[in-house]
Amino acid sequence: QVNLVESGGGSVQAGGSLRLSCAPSGYSRCMGWFRQAPGKEREGLAAICAGFAYYADVVKGRFTISQDYAKNSMYLEMNSLKPEDTAMYYCAAATIAETILKTPGALNNWGQGTLVTVSS
């Protein structure tokens, strides 16, 4: 497994932006982000595998996932944030993007999470 450390969460007003960062301790074929709001199931958001990015419909056009291989980091740029985006955001590692996007409950490698709060 890869150790994953997230950072960059915080509080922002609706319409604002945040950038989350994830620092992995090693290599994973795919990495991505999911979130979990209180009382709700995990929701896959975005994944990146070998430079190819994949997005859930709920964030498509608002969030951008990227990797900086020189810094060994992955990012999630979040724009046009809405109150319903409020959740704990987790960085995850997997062998295929589908696990992160479609079945995040099946993941076995994720970080400690970072809280994002969007106020109206």
Side-chain angles (χ1 to χ4, degrees):
Q1 286 197 342
V2 177
N3 188 42
L4 303 163
V5 180
E6 303 96 334
S7 61
S11 297
V12 65
Q13 289 192 329
S17 299
L18 283 172
R19 188 176 83 154
L20 306 183
S21 300
C22 175
S25 63
Y27 170 80
S28 178
R29 182 177 180 277
C30 294
M31 294 186 63
W33 297 88
F34 70 91
R35 67 189 179 191
Q36 189 165 25
K40 295 189 176 181
E41 294 185 351
R42 294 179 182 179
E43 181 179 37
L45 303 175
I48 188 164
C49 306
F52 290 92
Y54 307 88
Y55 298 96
D57 288 342
V58 68
V59 301
K60 199 172 293 183
R62 297 191 299 127
F63 292 9
T64 302
I65 190 170
S66 62
Q67 277 184 305
D68 185 332
Y69 293 103
K71 296 182 179 180
N72 193 33
S73 294
M74 182 187 65
Y75 306 99
L76 185 69
E77 186 76 34
M78 306 186 295
N79 298 315
S80 302
L81 284 163
K82 307 173 183 179
E84 51 263 44
D85 292 319
T86 296
M88 282 292 289
Y89 283 68
Y90 298 88
C91 172
T95 55
I96 57 174
E98 187 176 40
T99 305
I100 297 171
L101 291 175
K102 301 293 187 183
T103 56
L107 290 165
N108 59 9
N109 195 179
W110 63 91
Q112 83 286 352
T114 185
L115 180 63
V116 171
T117 303
V118 184
S119 58
S120 57

